[in-house]
Amino acid sequence: MSETDTSRPASAPALPKVLAFDVFGTVVDWHGSIVREVSALRLPVDPGQFAIAWRAGYRPAMARVRGGELGWTKIDDLHRMILDDILVKFGLEDMDEAMRRHLNLVWHRLDPWPDAVEGLRRLKSKFTLCTLSNGNLGLLADMAKRAGLPWDLILSAEVFRHYKPDPEAYLGVCEVFDVAPAEMMLVAAHQDDLAAARACGCRAAYVERRFEFGPTLPKDVSPDPANDWHATDFLDLARQLGC
């Protein structure tokens, strides 16, 4: 965003104490990472379409848990359920168990966006940073280790047994750090996630990830005035927050 853009509200709010980050799409490039792995495996499919199809099953699978159709199920297992389904749709139903397990763990090996690590390091100089992801703890730990993501704490829907956008997830972060909702800010590339956080009294910072779904499906990254902050990336957010 250029210097003439209004990324910061005219009456800037007081700064939060804790920044909680959505991860898939906000911190890491799930689409590009899956395309990379599918291409490396030389699967006879369009890697981009395969990535989109796999991600498309994410919300419906979580809805089955949130609606009570399934008991608590961690994301690794939901990802595997979705994978088994789309392998049939893509004509890959003969893939063996070892390959299915390896491919399913691609979600542990997602690459960060180019600005993510340095941006987080800068933000960490002033704020406490944690994840607030629907990804399970083991997945998030593996991802952080591989990518060098400098979290102060890894939190997950698994801790609260509630997937976002259930309010228990956002308020759970506040409880962990013993802060008021207004002292916690969710950082995300998804307006619905931010709206759910705001509904709990938490702060909201939108980060543009225009190509989250790949170069052929750019997202609308227009600012929402309901958010406290709007940034082009983590480095821009760090600049705006004085880091």
Side-chain angles (χ1 to χ4, degrees), residues 16-18 170-171 173-175 177-185 200-203:
K17 294 180 179 178
V18 176
Y170 309 100
L171 295 176
V173 175
C174 301
E175 183 177 355
F177 289 104
D178 193 22
V179 296
E183 295 176 305
M184 190 278 273
M185 184 161 75
C200 294
C202 301
R203 313 285 282 287

Side-chain angles (χ1 to χ4, degrees), residues 1 26 113-116 119 122-123 187 206-209 230-240:
M1 183 168 288
T26 301
W113 293 108
D115 59 276
R122 286 175 55 181
L123 289 163
V187 181
Y206 181 78
V207 176
E208 297 179 7
R209 297 301 187 196
H230 182 103
T232 55
D233 59 20
F234 288 174
L235 295 172
D236 183 36
L237 182 63
R239 178 188 61 79
Q240 292 184 45

Side-chain angles (χ1 to χ4, degrees), residues 148-170:
L149 303 172
W151 305 119
D152 291 303
L153 183 65
I154 292 175
L155 291 176
S156 159
E158 185 179 7
V159 174
F160 310 116
R161 288 294 194 268
H162 281 276
Y163 281 126
K164 296 185 298 177
D166 289 353
E168 289 86 351
Y170 309 100

Side-chain angles (χ1 to χ4, degrees), residues 19 21 24 60 70 93 146 172 177 192 230 234:
L19 304 186
F21 288 76
F24 297 120
L70 292 176
E93 60 270 24
R146 177 180 178 274
F177 289 104
D192 55 348
H230 182 103
F234 288 174

Side-chain angles (χ1 to χ4, degrees), residues 83-102:
L83 175 62
D84 288 342
D85 182 56
I86 65 170
L87 287 177
V88 175
K89 294 178 180 178
F90 281 85
L92 299 174
E93 60 270 24
D94 292 336
M95 182 179 290
D96 64 30
E97 175 60 25
M99 182 64 77
R100 288 176 189 238
R101 177 171 172 76
H102 171 78

